[in-house]
Amino acid sequence: MKKLINAPADVVVEALAGLAAAHPKLGVDLEHRVVYRADGPVPGKVGLVSGGGSGHEPLHGGFVGFGMLDAAAAGEVFTSPVPDQILAATQRADGGAGVLHIVKNYTGDVMNFEMAAELAEGTEIATVVTNDDVAVEDSLYTAGRRGVGVTVLLEKIAGAAAEERRGLAEVAAIAQRVNDRGRSMGLALTSGTVPAAGKPTFDLPEDRIELGVGIHGEPGRRRIPLPSAKEAATLLVEPVLAELQPSEGVLAFVNGLGATPLLELYLLYGEVAALLDKHGVPVVRSLVGPYITSLDMAGASVTLLALDEELLRLWDAPVDTPGLRWGA
Amino acid sequence: MKKLINAPADVVVEALAGLAAAHPKLGVDLEHRVVYRADGPVPGKVGLVSGGGSGHEPLHGGFVGFGMLDAAAAGEVFTSPVPDQILAATQRADGGAGVLHIVKNYTGDVMNFEMAAELAEGTEIATVVTNDDVAVEDSLYTAGRRGVGVTVLLEKIAGAAAEERRGLAEVAAIAQRVNDRGRSMGLALTSGTVPAAGKPTFDLPEDRIELGVGIHGEPGRRRIPLPSAKEAATLLVEPVLAELQPSEGVLAFVNGLGATPLLELYLLYGEVAALLDKHGVPVVRSLVGPYITSLDMAGASVTLLALDEELLRLWDAPVDTPGLRWGA
């Protein structure tokens, strides 16, 4: 295993320290492994908290900042943060208007966020659980569908709603709407390697890919021969469209899982856009790049979000985080 | 070889089409493989043109837009664009106030940009050649030092100067100052794979890294055992500091070469920042992420730019490109 690290046990805390050092608008509580807005909590604003296992960067710590999250709790690589960490993040985000927990649907995450919400006495908590991955119904770490790419879009859009000083119920409803209107599907060309394990999470023959892979390398639908980019676009977009049936324009998000270069992601995006055009689905906004990754896994996922007027406006609103930044 | 592509021969043109599809503010001339500002050329503004072999994305096409480049010419992967392409880019960028060619110091690039400048009759051209890589004096494709990470910073800063409607000589002088005040060094953990070659460019044993590697996999200074991140920071920063001896604050740029995850890049950044602090070098700005890559090579480079008041102000100015965006 070749990685630019010191000791595997220190990877997460050292990476968080580096993130905070690079971005003066962020603070980091290294004891609880919580990244938070240095100017927070923002009085009167609904606080947005997310978190989960590390290894998906920039998700979640890289999405802390104006217009997106107020705090994020980082578990060990591919391991849920514990309730105390989530509680610490919740306190960092609590500006007196309630806190929204944004949770990807993995059994450990859901349980630990629930426990943290119970511990956060005196703070009103709402929770949204993302479960946008159409690949499989249940999975290695999940009852029901997995939460993947839509989480990025939800954190941006709900974050913009919170900046408008909407109340907790409204922000939660918008977040829920994003989840309900978004679907994803991914594929892996190679496995990633967890630093503490020191070897690839799974083996994939040189001529096979994993279709419907999860962001921790969980098995997907099936292993198939390496498709062309055009075929890959079809394999990813069709199952999403079959469920989503968007009547208006979509946000098309082509996400890199880590080791796949931007050259390939843009090439794939071109195929995705052409296919959507063939289906008569207008692409109103797009996002291309590695935003929810799986360490050094090669592969990509496609997320489609059926926009409406309000979601589009909130997507376009200014944001200032390490991972997404515009208009600010 | 596993890549999300169609035919290897079509990779560059299909990726450019995808880039333009994803970013409506960009246009693409597929015949000449030129990415340009859709609202350009901007009358009265110095035009900025860069280009080079593909495989380094987001460099250069991803840095076209307000506050940075006006046009970029994309060669085949790791191959210089030909003079006709650079000429087409120059025409797309020519708003009547002259055009600055930003050229990384590789023999083919330098020669072809020179020929394009001769062909561009009626357009005043100035040229800056970046050569910031301290690793080796001459290299596989280079007489003198290679141009690497500083190119990203130069395109941003010179682009801001051009937006202020500074004249060609002034923009060129600022660009030259960025190159003179910036130095870089990189290391590779693995080789990247050129699509048309279908196999890794070079072999590197599992327990060795290439110190001082170039962005095409050119040999560096030596092969050494895999260092810790702390040791890697020392190996990259010390040779840069030995030459740069910054008296004021620096911009510290930790760049990913492609397959190295953000988790590791931030961890490395933390070590770089700690080392600079030990040397008494204040870090005034930072940039962490994959901005000048080498396909799917695992590894990283460090660039330090000795800022002054003007360079800092121009760095902070608004920019709106796929690869760098803020304040716009």
Side-chain angles (χ1 to χ4, degrees):
Chain A
M1 176 190 64
K2 283 181 179 174
K3 287 189 179 289
L4 283 172
I5 62 173
N6 296 308
D10 301 331
V11 165
V12 171
V13 75
E14 290 180 358
L16 292 179
L19 175 72
H23 299 284
K25 291 176 184 172
L26 300 183
V28 61
D29 168 356
L30 289 180
E31 185 195 339
H32 292 100
R33 302 181 185 191
V34 167
V35 178
Y36 57 89
R37 276 175 69 161
D39 65 348
V42 182
K45 188 183 86 68
V46 169
L48 264 64
V49 170
S50 193
S54 296
H56 308 301
E57 291 68 27
L59 192 85
H60 296 275
F63 295 137
V64 174
F66 174 86
M68 222 164 157
L69 299 178
D70 292 85
E76 279 304 304
V77 171
F78 294 177
T79 303
S80 297
V82 298
D84 271 0
Q85 294 181 262
I86 301 165
L87 178 62
T90 303
Q91 289 162 345
R92 289 282 183 187
D94 185 0
V99 170
L100 178 66
H101 282 178
I102 300 169
V103 189
K104 301 192 301 302
N105 188 33
Y106 299 95
T107 307
D109 288 15
V110 170
M111 190 177 67
N112 290 347
F113 269 91
E114 270 177 17
M115 288 176 66
E118 284 168 23
L119 293 170
E121 288 169 26
T123 301
E124 195 185 355
I125 308 270
T127 300
V128 60
V129 177
T130 61
N131 60 351
D132 53 306
D133 189 340
V134 303
V136 291
E137 197 47 48
D138 296 310
S139 180
L140 211 50
Y141 312 112
T142 324
R145 290 180 167 183
R146 301 174 299 217
V148 289
V150 93
T151 317
V152 176
L153 311 180
L154 189 157
E155 292 178 357
K156 166 67 187 82
I157 289 171
E163 293 296 349
E164 291 182 350
R165 300 297 186 272
R166 314 276 280 268
L168 180 59
E170 272 189 90
V171 174
I174 287 168
Q176 188 61 51
R177 200 156 93 235
V178 173
N179 184 64
D180 294 347
R181 297 168 72 99
R183 297 286 189 283
S184 303
M185 177 100 167
L187 58 79
L189 274 58
T190 68
S191 170
T193 297
V194 176
K199 59 183 180 55
T201 306
F202 59 94
D203 287 317
L204 206 47
E206 179 56 32
D207 63 342
R208 286 286 182 282
I209 67 150
E210 182 80 36
L211 179 65
V213 73
I215 53 171
H216 313 92
E218 307 96 303
R221 288 186 172 186
R222 58 187 197 277
R223 291 186 167 189
I224 58 172
L226 178 68
S228 69
K230 191 182 177 70
E231 292 162 347
T234 301
L235 289 165
L236 297 178
V237 169
E238 296 289 355
V240 167
L241 278 185
E243 295 227 354
L244 200 61
Q245 302 180 315
S247 57
E248 297 170 90
V250 299
L251 188 164
F253 172 24
V254 169
N255 175 60
L257 288 170
T260 289
L262 210 44
L263 189 73
E264 294 172 44
L265 296 178
Y266 274 118
L267 195 157
L268 179 63
Y269 177 80
E271 298 292 353
V272 167
L275 190 57
L276 291 170
D277 186 57
K278 211 180 86 179
H279 281 282
V281 177
V283 178
V284 179
R285 291 292 182 276
S286 68
L287 184 67
V288 181
Y291 292 99
I292 169 171
T293 61
S294 183
L295 295 167
D296 49 355
M297 181 187 282
S301 63
V302 171
T303 299
L304 298 181
L305 173 64
L307 291 165
D308 59 27
E309 205 174 308
E310 181 177 46
L311 298 186
L312 176 59
R313 186 177 57 74
L314 294 169
W315 173 257
D316 286 342
V319 61
D320 185 5
T321 72
L324 281 184
R325 185 174 175 191
W326 56 72
Chain B
M1 176 190 63
K2 282 183 181 173
K3 288 189 180 287
L4 283 171
I5 63 174
N6 297 309
D10 301 331
V11 165
V12 172
V13 74
E14 291 180 357
L16 292 179
L19 175 71
H23 300 283
K25 291 178 185 171
L26 300 184
V28 61
D29 168 356
L30 289 180
E31 186 196 338
H32 292 101
R33 301 178 185 193
V34 167
V35 179
Y36 57 91
R37 277 174 68 161
D39 65 348
V42 182
K45 188 182 87 67
V46 168
L48 265 63
V49 169
S50 192
S54 295
H56 308 301
E57 291 69 26
L59 193 82
H60 296 275
F63 295 137
V64 174
F66 174 86
M68 220 162 161
L69 299 178
D70 291 85
E76 280 303 304
V77 172
F78 294 177
T79 303
S80 298
V82 297
D84 271 1
Q85 295 181 264
I86 302 165
L87 177 62
T90 302
Q91 288 161 346
R92 288 283 183 187
D94 184 2
V99 170
L100 177 68
H101 282 177
I102 300 169
V103 189
K104 302 192 299 304
N105 188 35
Y106 299 95
T107 307
D109 288 14
V110 171
M111 191 175 68
N112 290 348
F113 269 92
E114 269 177 17
M115 288 176 65
E118 284 169 22
L119 293 170
E121 287 168 25
T123 301
E124 195 186 356
I125 308 271
T127 300
V128 60
V129 178
T130 60
N131 61 351
D132 52 305
D133 189 340
V134 303
V136 291
E137 196 48 47
D138 297 309
S139 180
L140 211 49
Y141 311 112
T142 323
R145 290 180 169 183
R146 301 174 299 218
V148 288
V150 94
T151 316
V152 176
L153 311 180
L154 189 158
E155 291 178 358
K156 166 68 187 82
I157 289 171
E163 293 296 349
E164 291 182 349
R165 299 298 186 271
R166 314 276 280 268
L168 180 60
E170 271 189 89
V171 175
I174 286 166
Q176 187 62 50
R177 200 157 95 234
V178 173
N179 184 64
D180 295 347
R181 296 168 74 100
R183 296 285 190 284
S184 302
M185 177 101 165
L187 58 79
L189 274 57
T190 68
S191 171
T193 296
V194 176
K199 60 184 180 54
T201 306
F202 59 93
D203 287 317
L204 206 48
E206 180 57 34
D207 64 342
R208 285 287 182 283
I209 67 151
E210 181 80 37
L211 180 64
V213 73
I215 54 171
H216 312 93
E218 308 96 301
R221 288 186 173 186
R222 57 187 198 275
R223 292 187 166 189
I224 57 170
L226 178 68
S228 70
K230 192 183 177 71
E231 291 161 349
T234 302
L235 290 165
L236 297 177
V237 169
E238 297 288 355
V240 167
L241 277 185
E243 294 227 353
L244 201 63
Q245 302 181 313
S247 56
E248 296 169 89
V250 299
L251 187 163
F253 171 24
V254 169
N255 174 60
L257 289 169
T260 290
L262 212 44
L263 190 73
E264 294 173 45
L265 295 180
Y266 274 118
L267 194 157
L268 179 63
Y269 178 81
E271 297 292 355
V272 167
L275 190 56
L276 290 171
D277 186 58
K278 211 180 88 180
H279 281 282
V281 177
V283 178
V284 178
R285 292 292 182 275
S286 68
L287 184 68
V288 181
Y291 292 99
I292 170 171
T293 61
S294 183
L295 295 166
D296 49 352
M297 181 188 281
S301 62
V302 171
T303 298
L304 299 181
L305 173 64
L307 291 165
D308 58 29
E309 205 174 306
E310 182 177 46
L311 299 186
L312 177 60
R313 185 177 58 72
L314 294 169
W315 174 257
D316 286 342
V319 61
D320 185 5
T321 73
L324 280 184
R325 187 174 176 190
W326 56 71

